Amino acid sequence: MSRILAISDIHGHTDGVRLLLEAARYEPGVDELFLLGDYIDYDPSTWSALDDIRQLTAGGARAIAGNMETWLCSTPNERSSVQDAGPALASWLDFAGALPYYQLHTSFLFVHAGLRPGLKLEDQLPADLTGIREPFLLTRNPYPLPVIFGHTPTRRMGAAPGEIWVGPGIIGIDTGAKHGLRLSLVNLTNQTVYSCSTDPDNLYGDMRFTAWVSHPYALRK
């Protein structure tokens, strides 16, 4: 049976992504996998994660841009220290620069950060799609489908550290991989989560498989 899977805010932890996909028994071509941005971080050692993301998209996954990818493509001075990466850097820039800002599914809308209330989907600005926080989080979902997003760590929205946040028509899945908490692969079909630690002292350990909990509203139908 096909499943809809999503993961966001990887920040270089593609080894963790690989372990989570193995734990979930991900089947390319059968399951639908959505990757919601921030595959890299400011540290150039994370930028090769884009190669792993590209491999996943070659197998059928659908990826969108996060604020880190837009940063990489728009700040050439920050890249000066790795200009010797040559063709690799050019390839990463080409891939990151071609990523769309959202993916629309029949059941969900996938975006990195959220939506600007009051604007149609086609009128949303890239800066909002990749960077918005409070105007989206504090307003009822303006879109008729549940919005799956990352960018804002879920603990800032009231979830327990390392857990996803399920609200009124929105599901936040940035569980703090960047901050040494957890990286999460969400099964939207079965409402379950695969996650692992990103604490440097237990990197990719403490693998968990859990059901999600609403905080505190049911999804909008």
Side-chain angles (χ1 to χ4, degrees), residues 7 10-14 17-18 21 33-40 46-64 69 95-96 99:
I7 191 166
I10 293 164
H11 291 286
H13 291 291
T14 50
V17 171
R18 191 174 300 108
L21 291 173
L33 176 61
F34 292 86
L35 308 167
L36 306 193
D38 277 12
Y39 312 114
I40 64 171
T46 67
W47 297 358
S48 62
L50 292 169
D51 291 330
D52 299 298
I53 300 303
R54 179 163 38 201
Q55 289 178 3
L56 288 171
T57 60
R62 282 174 273 184
I64 62 177
E69 287 71 53
F95 177 71
L99 291 171

Side-chain angles (χ1 to χ4, degrees), residues 15-32:
D15 286 343
V17 171
R18 191 174 300 108
L19 291 172
L20 292 176
L21 291 173
E22 289 175 358
R25 298 184 179 179
Y26 167 60
E27 294 187 57
V30 177
D31 297 317
E32 298 180 84

Side-chain angles (χ1 to χ4, degrees), residues 113-117 128 131-140 149 151-152 156-157 170:
L115 304 173
R116 173 71 60 180
D128 285 330
I132 199 169
R133 293 193 195 275
E134 283 76 9
F136 169 67
L137 298 173
L138 299 179
T139 305
R140 185 174 176 85
F149 69 102
H151 185 59
T152 300
R156 297 186 187 178
M157 296 183 285
I170 62 175

Side-chain angles (χ1 to χ4, degrees), residues 93-216:
L93 293 173
D94 287 344
F95 177 71
L99 291 171
Y101 291 107
Y102 64 85
Q103 288 281 355
L104 185 59
H105 184 272
T106 55
S107 300
F108 302 98
L109 172 63
F110 297 91
V111 64
H112 178 67
L115 304 173
R116 173 71 60 180
L119 293 179
K120 295 180 180 179
L121 181 59
E122 59 270 24
D123 295 329
Q124 297 284 331
L125 297 176
D128 285 330
L129 294 169
T130 61
I132 199 169
R133 293 193 195 275
E134 283 76 9
F136 169 67
L137 298 173
L138 299 179
T139 305
R140 185 174 176 85
N141 174 15
Y143 201 72
L145 293 175
V147 177
I148 315 302
F149 69 102
H151 185 59
T152 300
T154 53
R155 63 178 178 172
R156 297 186 187 178
M157 296 183 285
E163 293 186 1
I164 70 166
W165 189 92
V166 181
I170 62 175
I171 302 175
I173 64 172
D174 175 2
T175 52
K178 177 178 179 176
H179 306 289
L181 293 176
R182 302 190 70 78
L183 180 68
S184 295
L185 173 70
V186 181
N187 181 338
L188 294 162
T189 302
N190 297 331
Q191 299 188 358
T192 52
V193 183
Y194 297 84
S195 71
C196 63
S197 171
T198 56
D199 184 332
D201 292 332
N202 189 22
L203 192 60
Y204 312 139
D206 189 22
M207 188 75 68
R208 299 178 188 175
F209 173 61
T210 58
W212 73 38
V213 178
S214 296
H215 299 84

